[in-house]
Amino acid sequence: MAALETQEIQPREAKGQVVKLDRGFPLVRFEDGSTVRCEHATDLVKEGDSRAVIGDFVRVVWPDTHDKAIIAQIYPRHNAFVRRDPAERTISQTLAANFDVIIVAQPLPELNVKRLERELVLAHETGAQVAVALTKVDMAESQALITQVREDVEARVGASVQVIGLSCVDDSGLDQLRALIPAGTTAVLIGKSGAGKSSLVNMLMGHEVQETGAVRENDRRGRHTTVSREIIQLPWGGSIVDMPGVRGLGMWEAEEGIGAAFPDIEELASRCKFVDCKHGSEPGCAVLAALEQGLISQQRLDSYRNLMSETQMVRDRKERARWQKQGRGRKKSR
């Protein structure tokens, strides 16, 4: 009698997208609209930087020997929002993936130019469309201030970045914001805590879906309360991710992003006498000539130099870490 052949029972599997990250297990949504909480496969956890992020498309399996669905594979990302890990000098941290638009929220009455520059660099580095939402316009002291801030931001960001002024009091700018996220597209909303991101999401939804902190009577400022990352489906078919306030915005391989965030300096640099001009003291430097003529400010040039220097420093540290790792590997093989 022939021996019975045993067949290994294959686990069920499906492709889905990570739509929520909070203090629990990642929530994955499938094409039929169903969702499930998942663990990461052991191999992904061991690799450290291979955990799924909001927006990732993943392969989920249901092993017969396990009581929870497992994220077994993360499919290649077409883009990602990446910063330097605040806790590690030579490691990157991915915060979101697979989106079409990044909207940078900055409160108009408290515009932080240096932070805006960093946000724009990291946003441009993703390759997605970039826009700036100037929030809390209704809290500005005067119409003159609104006009001044908006013109200053538009001059800094270049023609490729749309700048929208928004007020949750009268919904001004709402139609422009909606137009940025047509059906079938996903936007990521970034900005510091308290920038008004959750209020913008509520404006888009037409009702409150994101909790916002109570507004203080003395200065009318709210406290940001978003603690999770979640893809929120908008009524007309687009979707948006309200990211928790990101404090650290360390550069990570951001040369292209810097170039896109500083279009004025990049255009001037193309006219320099030397291709590798550092815009320090080289002869024939068009950037320094523009500085002397008052066409760009010293502050803006300093920001450009600092960000380029920071990016180079990260690259150097990564290279040193790579050589050290190779050295340890050679010692172990002896």
Side-chain angles (χ1 to χ4, degrees):
M1 182 175 176
L4 293 176
E5 293 183 1
T6 59
Q7 293 184 346
E8 182 179 353
I9 299 176
Q10 296 296 321
R12 293 179 297 123
E13 64 177 66
K15 181 179 180 180
Q17 186 178 29
V18 177
V19 295
K20 187 171 185 178
L21 286 174
D22 49 24
R23 293 185 176 90
F25 295 103
L27 183 69
V28 176
R29 180 186 294 135
F30 303 101
E31 288 186 0
D32 63 2
S34 63
T35 59
V36 66
R37 291 280 184 174
C38 302
E39 292 180 349
H40 282 89
T42 303
D43 290 346
L44 295 180
V45 174
K46 284 182 178 179
E47 291 182 19
D49 60 348
S50 296
R51 293 175 183 267
V53 301
I54 194 75
D56 266 330
F57 290 97
V58 297
R59 181 169 64 90
V60 176
V61 299
W62 288 264
D64 289 339
T65 57
H66 202 70
D67 60 356
K68 187 176 288 293
I70 293 176
I71 295 175
Q73 178 185 359
I74 301 169
Y75 291 105
R77 299 161 176 160
H78 77 254
N79 65 2
F81 183 75
V82 182
R83 66 172 176 176
R84 188 179 73 247
D85 190 323
E88 297 287 346
R89 297 186 301 175
T90 59
I91 296 177
S92 63
Q93 182 182 44
T94 302
L95 301 181
N98 302 318
F99 46 86
D100 306 285
V101 185
I102 289 190
I103 302 171
V104 179
Q106 276 271 350
L108 184 143
E110 304 170 336
L111 181 70
N112 185 325
V113 172
K114 286 189 175 296
R115 182 181 175 92
L116 175 61
E117 290 170 341
R118 283 182 172 270
E119 290 170 331
L120 288 171
V121 168
L122 295 177
H124 279 297
E125 192 66 25
T126 70
Q129 179 185 353
V130 179
V132 174
L134 295 176
T135 63
K136 306 184 181 181
V137 168
D138 51 282
M139 294 175 60
E141 295 177 356
S142 65
Q143 182 59 47
L145 177 62
I146 295 173
T147 302
Q148 175 190 338
V149 171
R150 181 160 186 160
E151 289 179 350
D152 180 51
V153 172
E154 288 175 340
R156 289 175 179 275
V157 302
S160 67
V161 177
Q162 185 176 356
V163 180
I164 304 172
L166 290 141
S167 169
C168 294
V169 173
D170 58 10
D171 287 348
S172 60
L174 180 57
D175 289 341
Q176 291 174 283
L177 188 63
R178 282 178 179 153
L180 284 172
I181 321 168
T185 64
T186 299
V188 171
L189 187 56
I190 66 170
K192 69 177 183 178
S193 295
K197 301 189 299 299
S198 294
S199 296
L200 294 190
V201 173
N202 292 337
M203 285 175 64
L204 289 169
M205 291 296 292
H207 62 278
E208 185 167 332
V209 293
Q210 295 289 82
E211 183 182 356
T212 55
V215 176
R216 298 193 297 263
E217 291 296 331
N218 61 330
D219 58 9
R220 298 176 62 199
R221 297 175 189 169
R223 180 175 298 172
H224 187 94
T225 55
T226 301
V227 295
S228 65
R229 298 180 187 128
E230 180 178 6
I231 297 180
I232 298 170
Q233 299 295 318
L234 299 171
W236 59 90
S239 56
I240 190 166
V241 180
D242 178 9
M243 301 281 285
V246 178
R247 292 183 181 179
L249 291 169
M251 296 294 102
W252 184 262
E253 298 181 352
E255 288 88 348
E256 291 186 13
I258 293 172
F262 291 82
D264 48 349
I265 295 181
E266 285 290 295
E267 195 280 329
L268 288 168
S270 68
R271 306 183 208 167
C272 290
K273 181 177 180 179
F274 301 106
V275 176
D276 60 347
C277 182
K278 302 299 182 184
H279 322 304
S281 58
E282 296 89 343
C285 176
V287 175
L288 293 180
L291 179 65
E292 292 176 0
Q293 297 168 27
L295 300 178
I296 58 173
S297 69
Q298 183 68 57
Q299 182 183 27
R300 184 154 174 80
L301 180 56
D302 288 344
S303 293
Y304 175 83
R305 287 170 170 163
N306 291 339
L307 291 170
M308 290 293 286
S309 176
E310 184 177 334
T311 300
Q312 183 61 49
M313 188 187 315
V314 169
R315 185 186 294 106
D316 292 343
R317 285 172 175 168
K318 282 176 58 184
E319 185 65 15
R320 287 197 297 269
R322 185 179 69 85
W323 280 105
Q324 289 172 357
K325 185 176 181 180
Q326 288 182 346
R328 288 194 296 268
R330 284 194 294 267
K331 290 179 179 178
K332 288 181 180 179
S333 64
R334 290 176 182 172

